[in-house]
Amino acid sequence: MLQQIQEVGSRAMDFYGDLMAGVDPRLKGYPLMWSPVPMTIILLSYLFFVLYLGPRIMAKRTPFQLKEPMIVYNFMLVALSVFIVFEFLMSGWATTYTWRCDPVDTSNSPQALRMVRVAWLFWFSKIIELMDTIFFVLRKKHGQITFLHIFHHSFMPWTWWWGVGYAPGGMGSFHAMVNASVHIIMYFYYGLSAAGPQFQKFLWWKKYMTAIQLIQFVLVSLHATQWYFMDRCDYQFPVVIHLVWIYGTLFFILFSNFWVQAYVKGKRLPKQDIKHHQNGTTVHTNGKVHENGKLHENGKLHENGKCYENGTSSLINHTATNGTSNGSAHYENGRAHNGKMKKA
């Protein structure tokens, strides 16, 4: 029995040695590239925190606001993504690549080494982006931690470690450049969203973010598909093309399902805080009761723009009971209130 275990261990070590022998030697000095073990530990720790430890730590805690850190984080990723796209273009895609069959340049030329550097930087940006989910956990935004989100954030860095290790460049890097381009737009949106309500009017294009993602996967799959119709292609790692094609197709299906659920069926749109009764007499919102034009809250009576409490009166501003102040009309007791805000 002991001898069999030793034989299995010996074979595993030989397999691991052969596997690591194929890693591009130009990457040996880059952080986290000497072995897949550190990267795997990081991703397993990420999954353990966001799925188990984090929610339990935050269960009885007040959600963190994290406004300033999130603004800095998102706009930092915008700048990093811009740099990555520029480097991909200068390393080949805007200089020597044909956008069809482009092999990996395995030389030590300045341009080849530049491609190696940006390929690693793109992979490392996927490790940084794990903070997306960490912010969700700390802010108790559990509705945002979906299977699609977690799968995308863990699957991408794990597979791209091998892609960078074996094929830093060539036609297999096309989807990295496209993905970084999409992330410029995406993290710019997140940065504005984190900045506060005063920027909400600039975020009307939220639903188109998913459309941009879908276009990304179509482009990636189409670019990989052309390899199957070429008479000859000297790209050294066809397995990367297969994985890229599977990646583009799989995520197109997953994001299409998200689009249908969110924007066709409306299941993932923000839920209204208000429940209107059919008889138009009572509206419950956030523990408050609106009845016949009066708002009863914590023993106070708000009526006709005045607040009566302990025999005194004070003027208050009217707010739209549907939770918005964008001029939308609110219907109550069969009458339409003007959507514009009226100050008392």
Side-chain angles (χ1 to χ4, degrees), residues 48 55 131 197 238:
F48 176 72
M131 285 300 301

Side-chain angles (χ1 to χ4, degrees), residues 99-206:
W99 295 66
R100 297 193 74 242
C101 177
D102 296 298
V104 178
D105 185 351
T106 58
S107 72
N108 288 317
S109 69
Q111 182 165 293
L113 294 177
R114 190 174 186 178
M115 178 61 81
V116 170
R117 182 184 66 183
V118 70
W120 175 85
L121 187 59
F122 174 79
W123 170 78
F124 188 71
S125 72
K126 301 297 117 183
I127 299 297
I128 297 174
E129 288 168 13
L130 297 178
M131 285 300 301
D132 291 0
T133 324
I134 305 299
F135 281 129
F136 286 150
V137 171
L138 297 179
R139 296 169 63 223
K140 300 182 77 168
K141 300 288 184 180
H142 303 302
Q144 304 288 345
I145 308 176
T146 61
F147 166 79
L148 175 58
H149 176 90
I150 293 176
F151 181 69
H152 179 68
H153 276 67
S154 55
F155 180 78
M156 262 298 268
W158 197 86
T159 55
W160 241 91
W161 188 95
W162 300 99
V164 171
Y166 281 84
M171 66 182 299
S173 65
F174 173 77
H175 82 287
M177 182 178 65
V178 174
N179 183 255
S181 302
V182 170
H183 280 203
I184 295 173
I185 304 171
M186 187 177 74
Y187 282 103
F188 180 73
Y189 169 85
Y190 291 154
L192 288 179
S193 179
Q198 65 270 30
F199 291 93
Q200 293 298 317
K201 60 183 178 181
F202 300 113
L203 302 178
W204 53 267
W205 43 281
K206 177 182 179 181

Side-chain angles (χ1 to χ4, degrees), residues 100-337:
R100 297 193 74 242
C101 177
D102 296 298
V104 178
D105 185 351
T106 58
S107 72
N108 288 317
S109 69
Q111 182 165 293
L113 294 177
R114 190 174 186 178
M115 178 61 81
V116 170
R117 182 184 66 183
V118 70
W120 175 85
L121 187 59
F122 174 79
W123 170 78
F124 188 71
S125 72
K126 301 297 117 183
I127 299 297
I128 297 174
E129 288 168 13
L130 297 178
M131 285 300 301
D132 291 0
T133 324
I134 305 299
F135 281 129
F136 286 150
V137 171
L138 297 179
R139 296 169 63 223
K140 300 182 77 168
K141 300 288 184 180
H142 303 302
Q144 304 288 345
I145 308 176
T146 61
F147 166 79
L148 175 58
H149 176 90
I150 293 176
F151 181 69
H152 179 68
H153 276 67
S154 55
F155 180 78
M156 262 298 268
W158 197 86
T159 55
W160 241 91
W161 188 95
W162 300 99
V164 171
Y166 281 84
M171 66 182 299
S173 65
F174 173 77
H175 82 287
M177 182 178 65
V178 174
N179 183 255
S181 302
V182 170
H183 280 203
I184 295 173
I185 304 171
M186 187 177 74
Y187 282 103
F188 180 73
Y189 169 85
Y190 291 154
L192 288 179
S193 179
Q198 65 270 30
F199 291 93
Q200 293 298 317
K201 60 183 178 181
F202 300 113
L203 302 178
W204 53 267
W205 43 281
K206 177 182 179 181
K207 81 178 284 189
Y208 299 106
M209 285 300 307
T210 305
I212 294 171
Q213 293 273 28
L214 292 173
I215 293 172
Q216 167 192 201
F217 301 129
V218 170
L219 291 175
V220 166
S221 295
L222 287 177
H223 182 265
T225 299
Q226 65 178 333
W227 182 87
Y228 298 99
F229 297 95
M230 293 177 183
D231 295 332
R232 180 185 175 185
C233 181
D234 296 328
Y235 182 70
Q236 302 95 319
F237 304 95
V239 65
V240 174
I241 299 299
H242 304 326
L243 291 174
V244 167
W245 190 90
I246 293 171
Y247 161 82
T249 304
L250 175 62
F251 278 100
F252 179 83
I253 294 172
L254 292 174
F255 275 77
S256 295
N257 178 67
F258 175 87
W259 175 278
V260 171
Q261 298 299 323
Y263 300 113
V264 177
K265 297 183 179 181
K267 291 183 179 180
R268 286 190 52 79
L269 293 177
K271 297 180 180 179
Q272 297 293 337
D273 291 332
I274 315 166
K275 297 180 180 179
H276 294 268
H277 288 272
Q278 293 287 337
N279 59 14
T281 58
T282 307
V283 182
H284 299 270
T285 171
N286 297 328
K288 306 171 186 178
V289 180
H290 298 259
E291 184 174 6
N292 298 326
K294 304 175 182 179
L295 170 62
H296 300 268
E297 178 187 9
N298 299 327
K300 306 173 186 179
L301 173 63
H302 299 264
E303 181 178 6
N304 297 327
K306 300 178 180 180
C307 173
Y308 297 93
E309 179 183 8
N310 298 328
T312 63
S313 65
S314 60
L315 297 179
I316 62 171
N317 292 333
H318 288 281
T319 57
T321 57
N322 65 356
T324 68
S325 58
N326 293 326
S328 55
H330 171 66
Y331 294 88
E332 184 180 5
N333 297 326
R335 294 180 299 172
H337 293 274

